[in-house]
Amino acid sequence: MNIPSELKYTKDHEWIKVDGDVATVGITDFAQGELGDIVYVEVETIDETLDKDEVFGTVEAVKTVSDLFLPLSGEIIEFNETLEDEPEKVNSDPYGEGWMIKIKLNDSSQIEELLSDVDYKELISA
């Protein structure tokens, strides 16, 4: 299972890559594997400012629909529009072309509350 060490993680299986005051968010390799074939990603919160842990969208797989939770408070400034036509990129490249949103952070101190790769490995092996 792929768990890049340069990323941060949540207990809800999102990954976060922080670059200055902008964070890129997607779901982890573990999450996409658990969901199965992803057929649709919906994010209707572009240009909205949400608090940490609020639902920012949903991901639909063949057998289930799951909410996506915002790992850090901020304004959702971009959606990966490639996913509208190719949602399967979340399965094939969850940490690359399968990213979902970009957030302009409100409170960078929240980054400290996220899981490291080691912590996330412990979480999913439990």
Side-chain angles (χ1 to χ4, degrees):
M1 182 161 318
N2 186 11
I3 304 173
S5 61
E6 70 274 11
L7 302 177
K8 295 288 189 179
Y9 301 89
T10 71
K11 292 178 181 171
D12 294 312
H13 309 289
E14 283 94 15
W15 61 263
I16 304 92
K17 180 179 180 183
V18 178
D19 185 12
D21 65 348
V22 174
T24 304
V25 178
I27 64 169
T28 65
D29 191 26
F30 175 82
Q32 69 78 23
E34 291 291 302
L35 288 168
D37 293 337
I38 293 172
V39 296
Y40 188 67
V41 177
E42 180 176 53
V43 175
E44 294 183 346
T45 50
I46 299 298
D47 298 326
E48 290 183 27
T49 299
L50 301 176
D51 290 328
K52 178 182 176 191
D53 297 327
E54 281 194 84
V55 174
F56 71 83
T58 56
V59 61
E60 183 177 341
V62 174
K63 296 180 182 175
T64 189
V65 176
S66 293
D67 287 335
L68 298 166
F69 298 97
L70 200 63
L72 301 164
S73 298
E75 179 185 358
I76 299 174
I77 57 173
E78 189 176 344
F79 170 63
N80 182 356
E81 294 182 7
T82 302
L83 299 181
E84 290 179 352
D85 296 323
E86 299 177 84
E88 65 276 5
K89 294 240 185 238
V90 175
N91 292 115
S92 63
D93 190 11
Y95 302 113
E97 293 181 359
W99 67 273
M100 293 182 174
I101 61 166
K102 292 191 179 184
I103 312 164
K104 182 161 178 48
L105 301 178
N106 283 351
D107 181 1
S108 60
S109 71
Q110 292 178 339
I111 296 166
E112 297 169 21
E113 300 169 21
L114 298 171
L115 302 174
S116 69
D117 61 313
V118 173
D119 295 333
Y120 185 69
K121 284 177 192 171
E122 287 180 13
L123 175 76
I124 61 175
S125 67

